[in-house]
């Protein structure tokens, strides 16, 4: 990769260090204009993603790798410059502070410069270089070591942020749930993940260290992380001391934190030309182009955030608040409106689960397993655990055979069995992405999808950047996006419609071993509020692609519940 710097000799190739290189005629502006923006980061196309004009900067910091000290208290006017490669593309950015009396930690004119200096730093803050500009055409590079300028032959620069893109294609004409999925982009050649039922261990294949893996944590009511949990034993903090996952004496909730190392999860869906039921799905750690969206990372103010949070446990009702805690009784016999009231009682940013999060998890499960059959790949769950006893409450078993939260605290992020024991025997759940019983225990009611008398409507995020006309979620789909899809009857899901850029169930001519392998229910004579996942009663009906779009928001029973989300 070539990097060019403007010097008295013109544009000089400075890649790889050294005080020279091939020279090029300096192009016309704006190769390095003096009044460009301060650019914090550039995307792969060279467009600024965050910037400000000539601000007066207080507290600008630089990290000294020798003394392992971060120096703050820089003052001055901060500007930025784009550097171009030989093709005229932006390859990296430098920061420049203009100040006649620059100070750092109270030491004025530390660098002894007249009117300007420039800092060039790697993105991870491990190294940096100071550039002293002699005049408009001449620069000298220095290392900053222990508050001294040392001339160097090596120049460290910003490089454009590499973006990882995984992908898969779903062929709607292929009934075999594994053959229907083909890997695309950087997923090509990778090994799918699966639950090894004979060894009782989860085989991650190529995905154990994937950028999208979440972390278990205890989240304060204000949305800050109190501490992280041991992913293999939630009863312990990451440091090995005891956690508070079962206590009700605090306001924390056990949650999964998504978005690691500054990388959000961006998704792009492109339906096949002439076939809205087949799709190419791309999942990236950056916005590779304008077709990618990170809906789950948008908060109630419409702001793109660094993280979002999903529940570890199915919801429990404690002191009129919906909670995600271990060993508590499941909330039941509540309406959707009550569930939302209990969820939002935790504070600003809290709600029940929302469609964009659950849809993202569906996509990631397909990516990891290279299959549409989630029960085979990850575990059946407690899909046959029903027991006709409303008073049963022994160990992990709750009444009617449901599992209490916390039955899989020591099972890692993924675990399951290929059978579910019935007749009051030992029941087993399923765990994916650190979340217990995403399917096959108790229905999970969620916001963001409505079956409005046969028309499926969705809302992809808070705010209106998704094309909806309402900023928040509601019970009747007012202001939601009309997908134009009608699910005419109930049955095993065979096709999704992706024309809206979302996973919308559209046809039900499958079976428990073909296509998506999960059941979908529809009632088109009223406005219905959705459930996902299935219950402990109907066996193979359950799975990540189980939809129930047949019940009004007012329906309440022991088998229907909800749990939390935070943005």
């Amino acid at each position: 990769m070539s990097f060019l710097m403007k010097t008295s000799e013109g544009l000089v190739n400075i890649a790889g260090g050294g005080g020279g290189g091939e020279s090029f005629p300096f192009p016309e502006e704006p190769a390095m204009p003096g009044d460009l923006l301060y650019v914090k980061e550039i995307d792969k196309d060279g467009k600024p993603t965050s910037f400000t004009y000539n601000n007066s900067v207080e507290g600008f910091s630089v990290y000294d790798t020798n003394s392992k000290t971060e120096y703050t208290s820089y003052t001055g006017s901060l500007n930025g410059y784009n550097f171009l490669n030989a093709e005229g593309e932006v390859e990296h950015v430098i920061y420049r502070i203009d100040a006649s009396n620059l100070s750092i930690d109270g030491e004025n004119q530390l660098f002894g410069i007249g009117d300007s200096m420039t800092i060039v730093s790697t993105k991870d803050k491990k190294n940096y270089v100071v550039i002293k500009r002699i005049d408009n055409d001449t620069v000298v590079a220095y290392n900053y070591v222990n508050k001294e300028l040392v001339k160097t032959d090596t120049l460290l620069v910003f490089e454009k942020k590499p973006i990882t893109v995984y992908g898969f294609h779903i062929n709607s004409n292929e009934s075999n749930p594994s053959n229907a999925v083909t890997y695309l982009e950087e997923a090509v050649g990778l090994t799918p993940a699966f639950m090894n039922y004979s060894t009782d261990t989860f085989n991650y294949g190529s995905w154990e260290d994937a950028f999208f893996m979440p972390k278990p944590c205890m989240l304060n009511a204000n949305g800050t992380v109190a501490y992280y949990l041991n992913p293999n034993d939630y009863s312990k903090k990451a440091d090995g001391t005891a956690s508070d996952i079962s206590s009700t004496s605090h306001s924390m909730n056990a949650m999964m934190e998504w978005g690691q190392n500054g990388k959000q999860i961006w998704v792009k869906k492109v339906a096949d030309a002439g076939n809205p039921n087949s799709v190419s799905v791309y999942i990236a750690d950056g916005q590779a182009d304008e077709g990618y969206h990170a809906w789950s990372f948008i908060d109630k103010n419409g702001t793109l955030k660094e993280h979002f949070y999903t529940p570890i446990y199915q919801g429990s009702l404690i002191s009129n608040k919906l909670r995600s805690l271990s060993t508590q009784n499941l909330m039941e016999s509540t309406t959707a409106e009550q569930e939302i009231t209990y969820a939002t009682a935790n504070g600003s940013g809290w709600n029940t689960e929302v469609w964009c999060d659950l849809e993202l998890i569906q996509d990631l499960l397909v990516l990891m397993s290279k299959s549409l059959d989630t029960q085979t790949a990850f575990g059946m769950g407690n899909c046959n655990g029903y027991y006709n006893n409303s008073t049963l409450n022994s160990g992990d078993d709750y009444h009617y055979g449901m599992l209490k939260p916390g039955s899989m605290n020591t099972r890692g992020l993924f675990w399951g069995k290929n059978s579910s024991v019935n007749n009051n025997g030992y029941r087993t759940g399923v765990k994916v992405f650190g979340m217990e019983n995403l399917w096959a225990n108790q229905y999970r009611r969620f916001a963001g999808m409505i079956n409005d008398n046969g028309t499926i409507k969705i809302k992809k995020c808070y705010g209106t950047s998704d094309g909806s006309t309402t900023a928040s979620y509601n019970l009747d789909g007012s202001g939601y996006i009309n997908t134009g899809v009608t699910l005419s009857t109930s049955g095993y899901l065979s096709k999704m419609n992706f024309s809206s850029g979302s996973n919308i169930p559209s046809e039900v001519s499958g079976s428990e071993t073909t296509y998506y392998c999960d059941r979908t229910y529809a009632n088109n004579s009223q406005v219905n509020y959705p459930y996902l996942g299935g219950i402990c009663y109907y066996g193979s009906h359950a799975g990540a692609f189980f939809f129930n779009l047949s019940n009004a928001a007012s329906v309440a029973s022991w088998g229907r519940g909800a749990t939390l989300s935070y943005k």
Side-chain angles (χ1 to χ4, degrees), residues 169-174 270-280 495-499 506-507:
H169 179 266
I170 296 175
N171 178 5
S172 64
N173 297 315
E174 173 58 64
V270 182
D272 287 10
N275 181 5
N277 306 125
S278 294
V279 68
S280 294
K495 285 181 171 56
M496 296 272 201
N497 186 299
F498 300 100
S499 59
S506 59
E507 294 186 26

Side-chain angles (χ1 to χ4, degrees), residues 504-563:
I504 308 300
S506 59
E507 294 186 26
V508 288
S509 59
S511 70
E512 63 182 59
T513 60
T514 59
Y515 299 105
Y516 292 88
C517 306
D518 298 334
R519 186 85 172 179
T520 294
Y521 291 87
N523 172 6
N524 297 334
S525 63
Q526 61 186 18
V527 176
N528 294 307
Y529 201 83
Y531 308 103
L532 196 78
I535 196 172
C536 64
Y537 193 77
Y538 294 113
S540 61
H541 286 198
F545 292 101
F546 173 98
F547 291 88
N548 187 319
L549 297 167
S550 64
N551 294 130
S554 59
V555 171
S557 72
W558 65 266
R560 293 163 171 82
T563 185

